[in-house]
Amino acid sequence: MKGKVIAASFFLIAVVVGYTVWDNQRITIAKQDIIIKDLPKELEGFSIVQITDLHEKEFGENQERLINAINSIHYDAIVFTGDMMKNNSTNAVPFYRLIEGIENKRYALFVPGNTDPKSYRTSSNHLEKSEFVKHMEKKGVKLLDSTYTVKRGNTYAQFVNFDWSLKTENKLEKNRNNLLKNKDYPKKETTNLIIGLNHFPVVDSHIDALLRDPSVTFRYYDLIMAGHYHGGQFRIPFFGALFVPEAWYEKSGLFPPQDRVKGLWEYKHIKQYVSAGLGSNGPIPFLNFRFFDSPEINVLTFKSGKIE
């Protein structure tokens, strides 16, 4: 009897390990409709592909499988919401190979994550884009350092770097005054769709703090898109994520609210979509894999409808 239990345990472990290895290599496409009240007809069906948290992971030779998955999708814009690199790494090759193979880069935007190289460097007492960003932009993906407008017919969809849109009197704001002059942030009266891009999700308590802070201008957004959480990276079946890296939670992200780990939610009339992303990361190298947490790319489609 004991031998059967041991054999069954080894078999179960082998199945779980085999599934985990297979699951970490596959690519799922998560689709989500974003319902916007009074959305103009020209923006009906406007779709965005979101790529986030690659962490230098490779899907096939030269990212072939990931490139094929993206190129199989019809979309209007593609956004990269940070952490294409690993911590303190200079290996941008997996990211560069990916963007080289993407066919539709007419509107391709990037906001950095916490593991990406700095977007700007100081040279001769002025800011200039880093080599990482320069190479990225040569390959067709634009750094979103303020706002970017997409026109469809007589309507406008505006992408905004969420973090930089918060007007605060700090050193970073002063350093980039020259960089951002003459770049006005959008107003709802003149823009039909306003989308904030950020690497970090903006949790409820953070939104409350921003709304209370008189030094911050919190603008209107139809949607905020983010990543960073990896969907929890380790998920327990029938329960969900055990942890997400979130300093705004009381337990620093331990046992987070499961409806705030990934996907779409709304708080104080602000819609937010958080992707589980593609790669994995963490301080312990042998734990840098996903567990019951399939890598995903995301397709968000805007549709007009009644807000309940």
Side-chain angles (χ1 to χ4, degrees):
M1 183 67 180
K2 185 178 179 181
K4 291 182 178 179
V5 172
I6 293 174
S9 299
F10 274 113
F11 176 76
L12 180 60
I13 291 171
V15 169
V16 172
V17 169
Y19 172 80
T20 301
V21 171
W22 171 80
D23 191 44
N24 274 249
Q25 297 303 316
R26 69 177 178 141
I27 303 163
T28 59
I29 299 176
K31 297 180 179 181
Q32 177 69 56
D33 290 342
I34 309 296
I35 307 301
I36 303 294
K37 184 180 179 182
D38 299 325
L39 184 73
K41 289 183 179 179
E42 292 95 330
L43 290 171
E44 183 76 27
F46 184 81
S47 61
I48 304 170
V49 166
Q50 182 183 11
I51 308 295
T52 194
D53 296 277
L54 182 66
H55 288 295
E56 301 177 25
K57 185 173 177 62
E58 300 195 42
F59 293 87
E61 186 175 358
N62 296 322
Q63 299 286 23
E64 181 180 14
R65 291 191 295 109
L66 182 54
I67 290 168
N68 289 341
I70 295 170
N71 288 340
S72 71
I73 304 167
H74 174 78
Y75 58 87
D76 296 285
I78 184 167
V79 299
F80 301 84
T81 50
D83 278 8
M84 300 297 110
M85 312 273 282
K86 294 180 180 178
N87 286 310
N88 303 314
S89 173
T90 59
N91 179 25
V93 174
F95 177 45
Y96 290 160
R97 284 175 175 165
L98 171 61
I99 58 180
E100 284 171 353
I102 295 174
E103 295 172 354
N104 180 3
K105 289 180 286 190
R106 183 180 182 185
Y107 305 117
L109 304 172
F110 170 86
V111 290
N114 53 292
T115 66
D116 294 315
K118 298 292 185 182
S119 297
Y120 286 90
R121 64 181 184 181
T122 303
S123 177
S124 302
N125 295 320
H126 72 277
L127 288 176
E128 69 173 35
K129 291 177 179 177
S130 66
E131 292 303 311
F132 169 74
V133 169
K134 287 179 180 177
H135 286 303
M136 177 187 74
E137 293 197 326
K138 283 181 181 178
K139 297 176 188 299
V141 176
K142 178 181 174 56
L143 173 69
L144 181 66
D145 55 11
S146 55
T147 69
Y148 187 85
T149 301
V150 175
K151 185 178 180 182
R152 273 182 81 163
N154 295 316
T155 62
Y156 298 88
Q158 190 113 40
F159 291 89
V160 183
N161 182 314
F162 175 83
D163 186 41
W164 282 32
S165 72
L166 302 173
K167 278 192 175 178
T168 57
E169 293 300 322
N170 57 32
K171 188 180 295 184
L172 180 61
E173 184 71 25
K174 293 174 182 177
N175 285 342
R176 66 173 183 256
N177 276 344
N178 291 333
L179 193 71
L180 299 181
K181 65 182 179 181
N182 300 325
K183 292 184 178 179
D184 295 328
Y185 287 99
K187 298 178 181 179
K188 187 58 182 173
E189 305 86 67
T190 57
T191 306
N192 306 102
L193 189 63
I194 302 177
I195 303 156
L197 300 186
N198 204 44
H199 177 64
F200 301 97
V202 191
V203 298
D204 301 356
S205 56
H206 191 183
I207 291 175
D208 289 338
L210 291 171
L211 292 173
R212 290 194 302 266
D213 190 340
S215 70
V216 169
T217 303
F218 193 94
R219 293 170 176 79
Y220 177 94
Y221 291 94
D222 291 295
L223 179 70
I224 296 172
M225 299 174 64
H228 187 57
Y229 286 169
H230 302 171
Q233 191 161 314
F234 293 92
R235 297 179 64 86
I236 304 302
F238 309 110
F239 175 78
L242 298 175
F243 173 80
V244 294
E246 182 50 74
W248 282 92
Y249 287 143
E250 288 185 5
K251 299 178 181 179
S252 298
L254 186 64
F255 304 120
Q258 296 303 313
D259 62 348
R260 294 293 192 268
V261 171
K262 64 176 183 176
L264 180 68
W265 69 76
E266 185 171 341
Y267 180 69
K268 292 192 173 178
H269 306 292
I270 301 168
K271 290 184 176 66
Q272 189 165 181
Y273 186 86
V274 175
S275 168
L278 289 160
S280 56
N281 194 40
I284 305 175
F286 71 85
L287 291 179
N288 282 346
F289 63 92
R290 302 165 75 100
F291 187 71
F292 288 99
D293 183 32
S294 304
E296 67 179 31
I297 59 180
N298 312 86
V299 184
L300 280 60
T301 304
F302 291 89
K303 296 183 177 180
S304 180
K306 184 181 292 186
I307 308 296
E308 295 183 358

